[in-house]
Amino acid sequence: MREAYQVELEQLAQHLAAMSAQVAEAMELATRALLEVDLGLAEQVISDDAKVDDARAECEEQAYALLALQAPVATDLRTVLAAIHAAESLERMGDLALHVAKAARRRHPDPVLPEAVRPYFTEMGGAAVKLARQVEQVIQTKDVAAAKDLEAADDQVDDIHRHLFTVLMDREWPHGVAAAVDVTLLGRFYERYADHAVSVAKRMIFVVTGRMPGYGSDEDLTV
């Protein structure tokens, strides 16, 4: 029975890792749709979002079944609880990629981004996808050091996001209010995507250590 239970826990982790791969691909395609003004890619991301939603529902159903039927304790309980929260964050990452794709579709055949800000979104998109790929590996390996490294990549996205406001607030901004609104929203989507990736990584640290990063070193969240 114990061996079968551990197999179920591993399957839950693999489902989460697969979700990470899904949302990484979604943001990669959404960013390409944005930069390349590609309606087909935007439509693909939009139609595939239902698969991410289904994956979250499957993860949560499996996690709640483990809680109800196995009464896990200690590390196993942390694993199940972390999986529930991680699935929610991953689903939100999928939604943020969806928002990017919808912005690309809404403006098609015109580009959403003025030429001056395209390099920033190229960089943010690459960093965001890299974060999601790293999350996939962290879920599979439960590598605490690798999980902590994600915060550096998140800082990169935050720095670009802040710089975008400097660009938008420049009195010489020549692209009008609509473009400024689009750039503001899109920057926020990438910034939040990266934040959710870091949140998932912190959940994996919690699984291993019993402590949730960000709540203070003296607060033990051991279950």
Side-chain angles (χ1 to χ4, degrees):
M1 287 293 293
R2 181 67 183 175
E3 183 177 344
Y5 173 47
Q6 290 303 316
V7 169
E8 290 185 62
L9 284 175
E10 179 59 27
Q11 288 175 343
L12 181 58
Q14 291 305 314
H15 287 157
L16 286 174
M19 275 193 76
S20 297
Q22 283 180 295
V23 300
E25 182 180 16
M27 185 55 90
E28 184 174 14
L29 295 180
T31 301
R32 285 180 54 196
L34 190 69
L35 296 170
E36 299 170 15
V37 196
D38 190 320
L39 181 60
L41 288 178
E43 294 287 7
Q44 181 178 339
V45 174
I46 293 166
S47 63
D48 284 349
D49 183 63
K51 297 177 183 178
V52 178
D53 295 341
D54 290 344
R56 176 189 175 180
E58 183 178 352
C59 284
E60 289 186 340
E61 181 179 350
Q62 185 177 7
Y64 287 128
L66 287 170
L67 286 175
L69 300 176
Q70 301 291 347
V73 296
T75 301
D76 291 346
L77 178 56
R78 293 201 300 269
T79 299
V80 176
L81 294 176
I84 294 169
H85 289 289
E88 179 182 7
S89 288
L90 290 166
E91 192 265 340
R92 289 181 178 175
M93 289 167 71
D95 286 343
L96 290 160
L98 173 68
H99 294 332
V100 173
K102 285 184 173 179
R105 183 177 69 175
R106 184 173 63 253
R107 297 297 185 191
H108 193 272
D110 297 321
V112 181
L113 299 174
E115 190 65 33
V117 299
R118 285 170 55 86
Y120 301 121
F121 283 91
T122 299
E123 192 172 353
M124 276 199 297
V129 172
K130 182 180 178 180
L131 276 166
R133 299 292 187 195
Q134 289 175 314
V135 164
E136 180 184 357
Q137 293 301 312
V138 166
I139 291 171
Q140 292 175 329
T141 63
K142 296 183 176 62
D143 186 330
V144 171
K148 291 179 178 179
D149 286 344
L150 265 72
E151 293 200 52
D154 179 47
D155 289 342
Q156 178 188 3
V157 176
D158 289 341
D159 289 344
I160 300 169
H161 183 237
R162 281 191 294 268
H163 182 68
L164 278 174
F165 285 107
T166 303
V167 174
L168 293 171
M169 295 302 292
D170 190 328
R171 287 183 295 179
E172 302 299 320
W173 172 261
H175 305 291
V177 173
V181 170
D182 283 338
V183 170
T184 300
L185 289 174
L186 286 164
R188 179 62 171 166
F189 296 154
Y190 283 95
E191 188 261 343
R192 291 301 298 146
Y193 183 99
D195 284 348
H196 281 297
V198 171
S199 176
V200 176
K202 287 181 176 180
R203 296 290 173 186
M204 296 305 107
I205 294 173
F206 171 60
V207 167
V208 176
T209 68
R211 294 176 179 270
M212 188 66 180
Y215 289 88
S217 59
D218 295 331
E219 184 172 352
D220 192 341
L221 300 182
T222 303
V223 176

